[in-house]
């Protein structure tokens, strides 16, 4: 029986040993910083132009920092089917959001790093959740934004963006 198995294995097609995927060359951190900077400018401009010229856009750096574990958890769920750290994220948000405030967040994933397409998805009037966040009014409105770019071979990317807001209704 073993010689038959060995002959069957020999007949299998050979793997092309010269084929290899190129490692990522993308500067993920640089792209994340640039996307966050551009998205913040677009959010503030949208709120001024589409909502009210006097509408302030205030960014909460601490809350923005706390969004990163959620983005990592979403990506791990996509890659391996299991979420790690989601409970930690929820605990961070509970501690960071003052009593009486509401927290709303909107995560979305893209297979590219094109700022125009990302912004179009966030500001599309048909997309109720992100436009609701962009148009938030109330007392002590604070926005948070985090971008996380996961680079894979051949410069394939998973670009996670989370826009969030905390507000005293």
């Amino acid at each position: 029986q073993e010689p038959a198995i060995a002959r069957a294995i020999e007949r299998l097609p050979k793997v092309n040993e010269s084929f290899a995927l190129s490692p990522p060359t993308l500067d993920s951190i640089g792209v994340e910083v640039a996307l966050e900077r551009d998205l913040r400018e677009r959010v503030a401009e949208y709120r001024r132009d589409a909502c009210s010229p006097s509408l302030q856009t205030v960014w909460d750096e601490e809350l923005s920092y706390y969004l990163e574990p959620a983005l990592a958890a979403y990506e791990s769920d996509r890659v391996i089917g299991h979420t790690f750290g989601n409970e930690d994220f929820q605990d961070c948000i509970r501690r960071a959001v003052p009593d009486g405030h509401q927290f709303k967040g909107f995560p979305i994933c893209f297979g590219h790093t094109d700022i125009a397409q990302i912004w179009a998805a966030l500001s599309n009037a048909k997309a109720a959740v992100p436009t609701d966040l962009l148009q938030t009014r109330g007392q002590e409105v604070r926005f948070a934004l985090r971008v996380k770019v996961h680079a894979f071979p051949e410069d394939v990317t998973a670009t996670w963006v989370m826009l969030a807001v905390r507000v005293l209704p």
Side-chain angles (χ1 to χ4, degrees):
Q1 179 104 249
E2 286 183 31
I5 293 172
R7 282 192 304 274
I9 291 173
E10 287 175 7
R11 286 192 305 263
L12 290 173
K14 301 291 184 222
V15 175
N16 183 352
E17 295 168 358
S18 65
F19 176 79
L21 295 173
S22 300
T25 60
L26 186 71
D27 174 14
S28 297
I29 295 172
V31 172
E32 290 168 4
V33 169
L35 287 173
E36 280 189 25
R37 181 183 57 241
D38 199 349
L39 285 171
R40 283 180 179 220
E41 290 171 7
R42 290 176 188 233
V43 166
E45 183 179 316
Y46 176 94
R47 288 176 50 80
R48 269 192 318 272
D49 296 347
C51 300
S52 169
S54 63
L55 202 55
Q56 295 283 331
T57 303
V58 180
W59 295 98
D60 184 330
E61 297 302 329
E62 183 179 4
L63 190 57
S64 293
Y65 176 76
Y66 292 147
L67 298 179
E68 193 157 343
L71 299 181
Y74 299 145
E75 182 63 14
S76 74
D77 186 49
R78 287 257 176 113
V79 172
I80 63 171
H82 186 72
T83 303
F84 295 100
N86 202 31
E87 297 82 20
D88 295 336
F89 165 69
Q90 291 174 6
D91 288 343
C92 284
I93 297 303
R94 278 190 212 101
R95 285 192 304 271
V97 175
D99 288 339
H101 285 69
Q102 291 178 344
F103 172 84
K104 296 183 263 184
F106 179 74
I108 188 169
C109 185
F110 301 93
H112 56 79
T113 58
D114 184 297
I115 185 65
Q117 290 181 38
I118 292 170
W119 177 245
L122 291 173
S123 62
N124 182 343
K126 294 178 185 172
V129 174
T131 54
D132 178 51
L133 291 177
L134 291 169
Q135 297 171 6
T136 299
R137 294 172 186 259
Q139 298 176 27
E140 300 180 36
V141 177
R142 300 293 183 269
F143 283 87
L145 176 71
R146 184 61 57 198
V147 175
K148 183 66 183 161
V149 177
H150 298 272
F152 296 99
E154 301 293 322
D155 282 333
V156 170
T157 61
T159 304
W160 282 94
V161 176
M162 183 176 238
L163 178 65
V165 65
R166 72 168 173 88
V167 60
L168 183 62

